[in-house]
Amino acid sequence: MAPTTRSKQSTPERQNAGSSSSTSTAVKSQTLDGEKGLRVREGSRARQEDVVDPNYALGLANRSHENVYLFVPNVIGYIRVVTAAASLYIMPTHPKVCTFIYFISCILDVFDGMAARKLGQESKFGAVLDMVTDRCATACLLCFLSATYTNHSLLIMFLITLDFSSHYIHMYSSLVTGSSSHKAVTSDVSRILWYYYHNRNVLFTVCFANEVCFVCAYLAFYEKTPIHSSVLIKYLSHLLPVRQILYHTPAPLDYLLETLGNVTWAQLVFWLTAPVCALKQVINVVQFWKASKILVGVDLAERQAAREAAARAARGR
C-alpha cells in the first residue's frame, strides 16, 4: 500500500472547514524589505497564503543579480527547445536525422531535472519551461502524424487535445489549491497519479515509451525495409542456424516468425511500446478527471463561504 504524503495541496474538505474564518476576497498588501512584495489572499483557500505581488515580481526580475534565466537546468531547457525545433524543421525530409535530434531533446529532459536538484536551482520558471517544451514537441509530432496518417487524424487530434487539456487543468488545479508543484500529488487524491509522479523511474519510462511509440509511427511511414532484409538479420543468419531452427518449429510459431520477419523495425517497436502509450493516455484521463473534481470542490467551498458571509452580514444589519 502506497504511503499517504501531504503537500501544500488542500482538499475541498479542508477548504470547507476553514472557509468560514476568512470570507473576504480582497487582497491586502504587506511590506517586504521596505517594498510591497507580498499579498495576503483571503477566502479562496482554507488558510491565508502569502503570494508575490506581480508588480514587485517584475521589478525584482529586472534588477536582481541572481539570473534565474541562466540557471543550468534552464539553459538545458533552452537547448531542448532548439533541438526539438530543429528536429521538427527537418521532419518531412530527413527522418533518421530528425529522430536522432528529437531523442536528444527527450534525453535532456532527464538531465535538467537532475541539474536542478543537484545545484539547488529548482524554479517555477524551469518547471513550466519543461512542461511547455514537452507538450509542444509532442503536439507538433502528432500534428505531423495527423497529416501523414489521414485515416487516423481524428484519433491523433484527440490525443493532442487530451494531452494539452489534462496537463493544463491539472496545473491550474495545483495552483488554486496552493500546491508547490503539479507533481506534488497526494496518494489520497489519486493513487495512480501519486505513483506516476513520485516514482522517477516510472515517470521516465512511461513518458519515454510514449514518445518512442509516436516516433516509431513517424518512422514507419518512411522505413519500408522488413526485418528479415535488414543488414543485422542477414549477418546473424550466417552465424546462427536460423533456417534449421525455423524448419523444425510448429506451424503457428513458424507463421508468427514469418509475420514478424515481414514487419519493419519501426513497426515492431511501435507495437511493443503501444501498451505503454495507451497507459499514458489513461493517466491523462485520470489526471483530467481528478483535476476537474478538485476545481469543482474549490468552487463549492468558495460558494459556501460566500453564503456564510452573506448570512453573517444579514444578521449584523
Side-chain angles (χ1 to χ4, degrees):
M1 180 176 179
T4 299
T5 59
R6 286 287 176 186
S7 67
K8 293 181 181 179
Q9 192 170 12
S10 57
T11 61
E13 289 77 13
R14 278 181 284 169
Q15 291 166 340
N16 286 333
S19 59
S20 60
S21 63
S22 178
T23 58
S24 172
T25 57
V27 175
K28 300 179 181 179
S29 296
Q30 289 185 340
T31 301
L32 178 65
D33 296 333
E35 301 183 44
K36 291 183 179 179
L38 293 179
R39 298 185 301 169
V40 179
R41 181 184 299 167
E42 300 179 356
S44 61
R45 299 177 190 168
R47 66 196 183 286
Q48 293 183 351
E49 179 176 307
D50 292 339
V51 293
V52 179
D53 182 84
N55 291 328
Y56 173 78
L58 286 173
L60 189 61
N62 289 331
R63 66 177 182 271
S64 176
H65 296 293
E66 186 177 27
N67 195 336
V68 177
Y69 293 113
L70 296 182
F71 279 3
V72 172
N74 295 341
V75 172
I76 296 176
Y78 306 146
I79 298 174
R80 288 192 62 212
V81 173
V82 173
T83 51
S87 67
L88 296 171
Y89 180 76
I90 63 174
M91 186 170 284
T93 54
H94 300 83
K96 293 182 179 179
V97 178
C98 167
T99 300
F100 177 75
I101 299 176
Y102 188 88
F103 276 125
I104 289 178
S105 179
C106 293
I107 294 298
L108 287 176
D109 190 21
V110 179
F111 292 100
D112 62 358
M114 293 173 58
R117 292 185 293 271
K118 184 73 173 179
L119 301 175
Q121 293 184 341
E122 295 174 300
S123 64
K124 291 179 174 61
F125 171 76
V128 174
L129 174 65
D130 181 66
M131 175 180 283
V132 170
T133 303
D134 290 340
R135 303 283 68 76
C136 290
T138 302
C140 289
L141 173 58
L142 289 175
C143 285
F144 186 87
L145 293 180
S146 179
T148 303
Y149 297 98
T150 54
N151 292 336
H152 305 286
S153 59
L154 285 178
L155 172 62
I156 297 172
M157 285 188 285
F158 169 75
L159 295 179
I160 297 173
T161 304
L162 177 62
D163 190 52
F164 265 108
S165 60
S166 68
H167 283 84
Y168 178 83
I169 194 171
H170 177 65
M171 174 70 82
Y172 189 79
S173 70
S174 299
L175 290 174
V176 299
T177 53
S179 179
S180 58
S181 168
H182 70 281
K183 295 181 180 179
V185 181
T186 58
S187 60
D188 55 344
V189 171
S190 172
R191 193 174 300 275
I192 294 176
L193 295 181
W194 178 86
Y195 192 72
Y196 173 70
Y197 279 118
H198 282 73
N199 190 315
R200 292 195 184 102
N201 293 328
V202 172
L203 181 63
F204 172 78
T205 301
V206 173
C207 292
F208 188 74
N210 183 66
E211 294 298 323
V212 169
C213 184
F214 292 149
V215 170
C216 285
Y218 157 71
L219 284 175
F221 183 77
Y222 295 95
E223 182 59 45
K224 303 299 182 182
T225 305
I227 292 177
H228 67 78
S229 300
S230 64
V231 176
L232 177 61
I233 296 299
K234 286 184 177 180
Y235 177 75
L236 291 176
S237 65
H238 292 291
L239 300 179
L240 301 173
V242 178
R243 295 184 182 276
Q244 290 81 348
I245 295 175
L246 292 179
Y247 182 78
H248 296 288
T249 55
L253 181 59
D254 187 36
Y255 174 77
L256 176 62
L257 292 174
E258 183 180 356
T259 302
L260 290 176
N262 290 327
V263 303
T264 65
W265 283 110
Q267 291 172 332
L268 178 61
V269 177
F270 169 82
W271 287 112
L272 289 176
T273 54
V276 184
C277 180
L279 174 62
K280 180 66 167 65
Q281 310 318 312
V282 172
I283 292 173
N284 283 342
V285 171
V286 173
Q287 183 169 256
F288 184 93
W289 174 242
K290 290 293 183 178
S292 299
K293 292 183 70 174
I294 289 173
L295 290 178
V296 168
V298 171
D299 287 334
L300 293 174
E302 292 182 349
R303 290 172 65 85
Q304 178 180 336
R307 287 193 295 267
E308 292 175 353
R312 284 195 299 270
R315 288 194 299 268
R317 286 199 295 266

